[in-house]
Amino acid sequence: MADTANYINDRFQTFMKGLGDRYEPYVREHLYKVYMVLGSTAAATTMGALLQMRDFLDLGVLAAVATLVLVLGLHFYKDDGKNYYTRLSMLYAFGFCSGQTLGPLLGYICSINPAIILSALTGTFVTFISLSLAALLAEQGKYLYLGGMLVSVINTMALLSLFNMVFKSYFVQMTQLYVGVFVMAAFIVYDTQNIVEKCRNGNRDVVQHALDLFFDVLSMFRRLLIILTQKEERKQNERRQKKN
């Protein structure tokens, strides 16, 4: 056991040294801040969802409107070096309201099988960590070419969603869910490398960079929740049919 622990520690130290050699101190510091803000935003989202699920606070439609207003506010209210804490508060409010909008879905899933939430959360966390590390250890700027392709795919999916509101195709719906997971995974890789490049070019907007990654993580989590829930619903329906 001691040998295993020493081996893991040695590998971890080697990995950290590799990152240290690859990135400048100011880039490492920026990434640290981004991931800290990302984690605290996720905590605000969790709080918003829990308050909604426990019926302590339910903003309803107001939460959805607030998320739109806040994200637009963060887009137009650019970082000027003096408004960091104001924009950080806006980001936390956005995370909280996102949790409020997620609450009803989580409440429904709890009535089916609460383990789905843990599975989706674990899958999202492991995927995010793995892809972030892959992006950081990859060749500098290797995946930046993905940006244009991913935006095109997102635009196509948005257009299909509009058409599907009329035609209501189950195949299109499921395709968008599964393709969406892979698209968000690719965005994690792209955004991670893009943040590094922006930092090296003088853009140290921690709030915006954390928001970019938060979008990726939240979108992937939502899709995994829906996919796993639909699978569980099919299993339960099959069990009922067998009993009948």
Side-chain angles (χ1 to χ4, degrees):
M1 182 66 91
D3 292 338
T4 302
N6 289 332
Y7 173 77
I8 293 175
N9 182 63
D10 290 340
R11 296 294 294 179
F12 178 75
Q13 295 298 330
T14 302
F15 167 74
M16 293 304 295
K17 184 178 184 301
L19 283 182
D21 294 339
R22 182 181 292 264
Y23 295 104
E24 301 87 339
Y26 69 89
V27 175
R28 296 200 302 270
E29 181 181 0
H30 180 72
L31 288 173
Y32 173 78
K33 290 179 179 178
V34 169
Y35 287 124
M36 288 297 292
V37 170
L38 174 63
S40 52
T41 304
T45 305
T46 304
M47 181 61 67
L50 287 175
L51 290 177
Q52 196 282 334
M53 292 170 65
R54 299 294 182 181
D55 292 325
F56 289 123
L57 178 65
D58 187 356
L59 297 178
V61 178
L62 182 61
V65 175
T67 56
L68 178 60
V69 172
L70 287 165
V71 76
L72 288 175
L74 286 169
H75 177 73
F76 290 107
Y77 187 40
K78 300 294 186 180
D79 176 35
D80 62 7
K82 300 177 182 179
N83 57 358
Y84 172 75
Y85 289 104
T86 301
R87 298 179 76 250
L88 183 63
S89 299
M90 293 171 66
L91 176 60
Y92 289 159
F94 173 76
F96 182 86
C97 290
S98 297
Q100 285 275 303
T101 61
L102 196 61
L105 174 61
L106 295 175
Y108 172 71
I109 293 173
C110 283
S111 67
I112 298 176
N113 185 354
I116 293 174
I117 298 175
L118 181 59
S119 298
L121 191 62
T122 302
T124 303
F125 179 77
V126 171
T127 301
F128 176 75
I129 294 298
S130 301
L131 293 178
S132 294
L133 291 176
L136 291 173
L137 293 174
E139 181 183 345
Q140 179 179 338
K142 180 179 180 180
Y143 297 108
L144 293 181
Y145 74 92
L146 291 173
M149 295 170 53
L150 293 174
V151 170
S152 297
V153 174
I154 289 293
N155 290 336
T156 303
M157 291 173 63
L159 188 60
L160 285 174
S161 294
L162 291 176
F163 280 114
N164 206 42
M165 291 175 66
V166 178
F167 297 106
K168 300 185 184 303
S169 169
Y170 178 76
F171 174 76
V172 171
Q173 178 188 358
M174 294 305 297
T175 300
Q176 285 192 314
L177 280 174
Y178 283 93
V179 171
V181 171
F182 288 104
V183 169
M184 290 305 116
F187 259 118
I188 291 173
V189 175
Y190 167 76
D191 283 332
T192 300
Q193 288 208 334
N194 195 34
I195 287 169
V196 172
E197 290 305 307
K198 286 181 177 179
C199 179
R200 283 173 170 160
N201 291 328
N203 184 341
R204 311 287 171 81
D205 189 350
V206 173
V207 174
Q208 182 60 54
H209 294 168
L211 177 62
D212 292 341
L213 291 175
F214 179 73
F215 268 130
D216 302 338
V217 172
L218 185 63
S219 297
M220 176 177 286
F221 180 58
R222 284 181 186 273
R223 285 173 168 80
L224 287 178
L225 281 175
I226 296 172
I227 290 171
L228 294 175
T229 300
Q230 290 180 341
K231 285 186 176 181
E232 183 63 24
E233 287 176 334
R234 286 196 295 269
K235 288 181 181 179
Q236 292 185 2
N237 288 334
E238 290 174 358
R239 293 194 196 103
R240 293 192 194 99
Q241 290 175 357
K242 289 180 180 179
K243 289 181 180 179
N244 295 333

